[in-house]
Amino acid sequence: MSVSQKDKEALIDSLLEASRKAIRLKLALKFQGKDAEAETVSDKKDALSDEIDRLIAGQMRAWNTSAAGHLATIGSANKKLQRAIREVKSAINTAQAVVKAIGYLDEAIAVAAEVAKKIAAA
Amino acid sequence: LCALALLLALVASGCASVDPKPFATFSESLQELRKGSDAVLSLNEEQNRARFLDKAVRKTGPGGDADFVGNLMMDRDRSFGWTMKEPPLFLESSRFRAAVRMINEALVSYAGLLADLAAPDLVDPEQFDRMAKDLNGNLASAGRRLGLEGHESELALFSLAASKAAHAAIESKRQGHLKDVLKETQPGIDSVAQALQAAMRIAAQNLEQNYLEGFDATAEQIPGASAAKRRTSIDQLLRENELYSDRLQALATLDHAYANLPVAHRELLEAIRKPGLDMTTVEDLYESGKHLYSLYEEMLAAQPKP
């Protein structure tokens, strides 16, 4: 049976709580001058700390693996937005091109009128 | 003439522009979230590395753990990457920070592109007014050359109606694109926000672990020490408490902001559908970003100098 992310989170929380208690115990023993016992607790706490590090590293590794899917989702949305911006700009350019084309049409009519005059005069 | 005037009235009534402000606010907020989350994760990463070095020194003395050093050896994989038997926390946290940053970067780009698509200068009404004038000038001139004089007012109205129609069509195209992307991306934003909240919880556990290890190292100096040394150590514990509390507050702000991200994203769609609606969550997201910025400045100022 696989352990869920939530369960792993809860496990790390409980180990952190155990680590906190070990630090308190170690301090209490040191204040009582029981250095040998304090050293034993310290060794256990260090082993616990290594385990917590390993579990947190595992959580990070699992998170990193899932990050690729999220990046792909946002990346695809970004491509759609870039395409949309290009389409809007292109629509504006087309409208401007139509206005310009009518201006060129005006020039073409002027040339045609000039040619017609010359033909008539010939 | 009447038909043209009617068309003009219809077109003018149907092309309200998008309010760009919520989009710009959303974009600015995400930039602050990116900066804040990276700042907190970079502090964790530095502490993880320092703690690893301390542990390495302890474990590699006389009669020490040979595997501890051997396990640091990297293997090259076929895709020019590397693997390690059991990467230490500081290496995983470095990759974790990079992955969180990449997702935040992608979100910042997304919000920036949304703001660009909603920006007033993309579909500028003045541009269409100029187009109407140019069109009118060209048509009037062409009309004169074709002997169609005495229709200047109809041509002017036609030019205005044509440019307004073009404006309305392009504005509608812009809004259609915005609505489509916002709707299609919403499920993705929901899951990205959940993932980022999960990342902040992992970062909080990492932060707590570093805090406890630092507390332990300082507190164990106190029993049996001189009064002056005890004072220094206790002062150090108090400073570590302040740093821990600031960083937790930053993570809480990030968690709150990422929880609000999908709601704020949904509000952007509402901003197009119902212009003038209050964007309370977008504003809340912005406030979180500002708060995070001030925490970030405090964290940098409180950071112990090397």
Side-chain angles (χ1 to χ4, degrees):
Chain A
M1 194 181 81
S2 67
V3 184
S4 73
Q5 290 299 107
K6 282 266 169 210
D7 289 342
K8 284 182 193 163
E9 256 181 63
L11 174 65
I12 295 171
D13 278 339
S14 63
L15 292 180
L16 284 167
E17 188 50 38
S19 180
R20 199 177 285 275
K21 284 178 180 158
I23 293 168
R24 284 184 203 281
L25 177 60
K26 177 177 146 184
L27 270 176
L29 291 167
K30 275 206 153 202
F31 270 106
Q32 290 165 23
K34 295 177 178 169
D35 286 354
E37 288 89 337
E39 199 55 40
T40 309
V41 172
S42 186
D43 289 345
K44 299 276 182 206
K45 193 212 71 74
D46 285 348
L48 181 60
S49 172
D50 286 349
E51 195 50 43
I52 295 171
D53 277 356
R54 256 194 294 277
L55 286 167
I56 293 175
Q59 289 285 79
M60 288 177 173
R61 206 163 28 247
W63 196 91
N64 289 348
T65 308
S66 69
H70 297 307
L71 270 177
T73 305
I74 309 168
S76 142
N78 287 352
K79 277 188 191 142
K80 275 181 200 153
L81 281 169
Q82 281 162 343
R83 206 164 41 237
I85 291 170
R86 271 201 307 273
E87 276 181 36
V88 170
K89 281 183 179 167
S90 149
I92 293 170
N93 289 340
T94 305
Q96 281 170 332
V98 169
V99 173
K100 270 190 196 154
I102 291 170
Y104 296 143
L105 187 67
D106 173 39
E107 283 169 25
I109 292 167
V111 171
E114 237 4 82
V115 171
K117 263 189 215 163
K118 279 179 186 166
I119 291 170
Chain B
L1 198 64
C2 280
L4 274 175
L6 189 61
L7 174 69
L8 187 58
L10 277 172
V11 162
S13 65
C15 64
S17 289
V18 179
D19 178 7
K21 195 170 172 284
F23 291 89
T25 307
F26 184 73
S27 173
E28 280 175 47
S29 311
L30 287 183
Q31 290 174 34
E32 294 304 332
L33 297 191
R34 171 186 59 181
K35 207 190 294 173
S37 67
D38 195 55
V40 179
L41 295 182
S42 80
L43 294 172
N44 269 357
E45 191 187 329
E46 282 168 28
Q47 286 189 319
N48 288 338
R49 189 181 169 89
R51 209 155 54 74
F52 175 79
L53 289 173
D54 289 344
K55 190 167 40 169
V57 169
R58 276 200 313 274
K59 291 201 172 186
T60 54
D65 184 357
D67 281 348
F68 189 86
V69 180
N71 285 344
L72 288 178
M73 204 184 304
M74 286 174 161
D75 287 327
R76 181 171 58 85
D77 67 19
R78 280 163 191 243
S79 58
F80 300 93
W82 57 267
T83 57
M84 201 182 257
K85 197 176 165 197
E86 195 181 337
L89 176 60
F90 85 85
L91 276 180
E92 285 297 356
S93 69
S94 170
R95 292 199 282 202
F96 177 66
R97 178 189 168 198
V100 171
R101 192 172 46 212
M102 277 165 78
I103 290 196
N104 274 313
E105 294 280 358
L107 281 175
V108 165
S109 299
Y110 173 68
L113 286 166
L114 279 178
D116 286 349
L117 187 54
D121 57 355
L122 183 65
V123 188
D124 185 1
E126 281 181 19
Q127 202 174 5
F128 287 89
D129 290 345
R130 278 196 300 275
M131 247 187 259
K133 274 185 200 149
D134 291 347
L135 182 62
N136 187 38
N138 290 342
L139 283 176
S141 173
R144 272 194 304 275
R145 287 187 201 283
L146 290 168
L148 299 168
E149 279 156 352
H151 296 279
E152 285 78 8
S153 58
E154 284 94 334
L155 287 177
L157 203 53
F158 173 78
S159 303
L160 192 59
S163 78
K164 291 277 179 202
H167 182 205
I170 293 168
E171 182 59 46
S172 158
K173 193 185 201 49
R174 177 235 290 262
Q175 292 186 20
H177 281 309
L178 271 172
K179 284 181 197 164
D180 287 349
V181 172
L182 286 167
K183 264 191 277 184
E184 280 171 28
T185 317
Q186 187 65 48
I189 292 291
D190 292 348
S191 63
V192 167
Q194 278 174 15
L196 286 167
Q197 280 189 282
M200 294 307 109
R201 289 196 300 275
I202 296 171
Q205 289 181 322
N206 188 181
L207 177 65
E208 184 176 357
Q209 165 78 334
N210 286 338
Y211 165 73
L212 288 177
E213 291 300 303
F215 190 96
D216 184 31
T218 309
E220 72 176 1
Q221 309 293 321
I222 298 171
S226 67
K229 279 191 176 170
R230 291 202 305 274
R231 192 178 199 286
T232 307
S233 297
I234 291 170
D235 186 43
Q236 172 70 19
L237 287 181
L238 296 180
R239 269 188 282 129
E240 280 174 18
N241 279 355
E242 281 165 23
L243 284 175
Y244 181 51
S245 143
D246 284 348
R247 290 169 195 180
L248 275 180
Q249 210 188 332
L251 284 172
T253 307
L254 282 161
D255 178 63
H256 175 74
Y258 287 132
N260 273 339
L261 181 62
V263 189
H265 188 262
R266 234 170 263 128
E267 274 185 2
L268 294 179
L269 186 58
E270 289 303 304
I272 305 171
R273 285 177 175 158
K274 299 171 195 162
L277 203 69
D278 279 347
M279 299 284 108
T280 48
T281 317
V282 173
E283 290 299 331
D284 189 298
L285 196 66
Y286 183 66
E287 288 305 317
S288 295
K290 278 204 304 192
H291 182 51
L292 205 56
Y293 183 76
S294 64
L295 284 172
Y296 169 72
E297 297 281 298
E298 278 173 34
M299 281 191 290
L300 277 184
Q303 183 74 341
K305 305 284 177 289

